[in-house]
Amino acid sequence: MSFEVEKTVSLRNYNALALDATAEYFCRLCSLDDVHQALAFARANKLTITALGGGSNVVLKNTLHGLVALVELRGIRHRCVGDDVYVTIGAGEDWSSLVALSLRNHWYGLENLALIPGSVGAAPIQNIGAYGVELCDFFVSLQAIHTATGERREMDAKDCEFGYRESIFKRRERNNYLITEVCIKLSTQPNNRWQYPALRDALEAKLGDASAAQITPQLIAKTVADIRRAKLPDPARLPNAGSFFKNPLLDEQQLARLMVDEPQIPVYPAYNNLSKVPAAWLIERCGLRGYRAGEVGVHERQALVLINYGSGSAAQLLALCEHIQSAVEQRFGVCLEVEPRIYGSF
Ligand code: EPU
């Protein structure tokens, strides 16, 4: 398909929340040549570029000015070095399909990250994570193009400054780079990680008593997929962007204060003496699980997920977000940080 820029395009089908935003200009990037043409178009017309992957972790306000570039760069290649398998993946590949392919090929590591919606190129931006594993555990490097200068750059894990649902692409270099390719290191030897409480419980329910000998990467992937299907709504049926808030990290004092009211709350140790507590628990304790405000609401099985019931707008969704944040702040003195990236203007 030849490179083409369209004007005034609805992005409703390109974001998992099904928000009816409009791109001032829109193009698809299927090759590196397309990327360079898009950069040239943006430069010639003094436009900013917004790269869009699977749209599964974004909130789009009404209008996205400039050029919205849908990243559809494909291709997967691999190289074996002993037991290690270096897999290099085009940014436009689907994450969930990559996990399935890696398991079929007996390349292990990604099983806990099964069924996460979105594209491979978006994965490093928020350092996707689930069931005790994060992308940064396998990450080797990525290729990115600086949208303003066209300069190509290889970045390793240190350059990406990964944290919990964080990277340099959400902070200092926000919107400055277009990720074209990601390289990860998997292994032909299973290294099963199943101690995350919800995963361990589900495995025990399946196996009787989860003993390490019975657990395979395939079983972990299947179990993770089952948990996700049971808890998280399918964006194709109930538009949503996964977790809408990060789980807050509390220092010792904040945690001690919270534990007075909520002695039962699960606490996960994090780095720098901080503790992570589930935002979903706090939202639920404010009575907001299943809360609905017109066309938007809080999912009834997972309070961290906000839903667009059909014709909800970004304004309604962000109003609901503020309502939740202030309820949690007032009751617990804890500030909830929005997890997806917000683009555009009203
Ligand atoms: N909980 C509630 N109410 C709810 C849901 C959960 O009280 O409605 C409590 C439960 O006590 C549970 C705890 O929260 O023990 C944790 O719940 P869960 O295991 O579902 O995980 P989470 O902390 O809500 C995080 C990630 C998910 C990831 C799961 C599993 C973030 C922001 N979210 O959710 O990631 O799948 O852990 O590892 O860290 C995403 O990023 O979009 C996402 C879905």
Side-chain angles (χ1 to χ4, degrees):
M1 203 165 57
S2 63
F3 178 76
E4 195 189 333
V5 176
E6 295 168 73
K7 222 180 154 191
T8 320
V9 171
S10 167
L11 298 175
R12 192 184 167 98
N13 293 333
Y14 301 115
N15 73 101
L17 276 162
L19 296 168
D20 200 8
T22 302
E24 190 184 5
Y25 293 92
F26 177 84
C27 66
R28 291 167 188 273
L29 307 179
C30 302
S31 65
L32 282 182
D33 189 50
D34 288 354
V35 175
H36 291 295
Q37 292 203 53
L39 260 49
F41 180 87
R43 203 169 310 129
N45 294 284
K46 297 193 169 46
L47 302 173
T48 56
I49 296 190
T50 304
L52 197 59
S56 53
N57 203 42
V58 292
V59 177
L60 306 182
K61 293 183 181 172
N62 299 3
T63 307
L64 273 78
H65 293 287
L67 177 62
V68 174
L70 192 67
V71 180
E72 296 191 318
L73 300 162
R74 301 255 186 264
I76 301 178
R77 52 188 202 277
H78 74 280
R79 182 169 57 92
C80 296
V81 183
D83 291 339
D84 295 335
V85 187
Y86 290 83
V87 190
T88 303
I89 315 115
E93 293 286 348
D94 174 59
W95 177 266
S96 190
S97 309
L98 171 71
V99 176
L101 173 111
S102 70
L103 282 170
R104 280 199 305 278
N105 288 342
H106 306 281
W107 304 336
Y108 300 123
L110 300 183
E111 40 283 352
N112 300 47
L113 304 178
L115 222 67
I116 295 182
S119 66
V120 168
I125 293 174
Q126 55 150 334
N127 182 25
I128 57 169
Y131 305 99
V133 170
E134 288 180 326
L135 174 76
C136 64
D137 300 338
F138 315 97
F139 182 87
V140 177
S141 62
L142 59 76
Q143 301 290 334
I145 295 179
H146 193 271
T147 51
T149 63
E151 180 206 351
R152 202 183 153 118
R153 196 173 154 197
E154 178 167 323
M155 297 167 87
D156 63 16
K158 199 159 165 277
D159 297 325
C160 293
E161 297 178 13
F162 291 123
Y164 163 58
R165 293 295 190 278
E166 271 299 347
S167 75
I168 194 167
F169 305 106
K170 282 177 97 173
R171 295 189 300 252
R172 226 172 40 252
E173 297 292 3
R174 191 183 139 87
N175 297 345
N176 289 348
Y177 282 97
L178 198 146
I179 295 169
T180 57
E181 204 171 80
V182 176
C183 178
I184 55 176
K185 187 171 85 171
L186 304 178
S187 175
T188 54
Q189 300 304 312
N191 174 18
N192 299 328
R193 276 156 299 179
W194 48 276
Q195 294 304 338
Y196 188 90
L199 177 58
R200 191 191 54 219
D201 293 350
L203 284 166
E204 274 171 6
K206 277 187 183 173
L207 295 172
D209 189 10
S211 90
Q214 296 166 281
I215 293 170
T216 61
Q218 285 79 4
L219 180 65
I220 292 178
K222 167 88 176 63
T223 308
V224 165
D226 290 345
I227 303 174
R228 293 188 72 97
R229 285 200 187 95
K231 276 194 186 172
L232 297 168
D234 176 0
R237 300 225 239 128
L238 265 186
N240 74 87
S243 302
F244 203 87
F245 301 100
K246 287 189 191 180
N247 286 329
L249 293 164
L250 306 183
D251 64 26
E252 278 171 42
Q253 273 186 342
Q254 290 171 306
L255 182 66
R257 268 202 305 274
L258 180 64
M259 295 296 276
V260 174
D261 287 338
E262 297 294 327
Q264 306 292 332
I265 193 167
V267 179
Y268 309 96
Y271 49 87
N272 291 348
N273 278 335
L274 297 173
S275 301
K276 200 192 278 181
V277 297
W281 176 289
L282 304 176
I283 297 168
E284 180 165 344
R285 296 291 280 172
C286 291
L288 291 170
R289 179 155 65 90
Y291 172 80
R292 186 165 172 167
E295 283 296 288
V296 296
V298 180
H299 187 50
E300 53 199 17
R301 272 176 283 142
Q302 178 31 299
L304 210 45
V305 177
L306 303 193
I307 306 280
N308 176 5
Y309 285 102
S311 55
S313 66
Q316 289 165 345
L317 194 80
L318 293 172
L320 172 64
C321 162
E322 277 176 29
H323 177 69
I324 295 167
Q325 285 172 317
S326 65
V328 169
E329 167 92 51
Q330 268 172 33
R331 173 146 180 191
F332 298 111
V334 172
C335 189
L336 291 186
E337 194 183 331
V338 172
E339 206 271 305
R341 287 190 302 172
I342 301 173
Y343 289 106
S345 55
F346 286 121

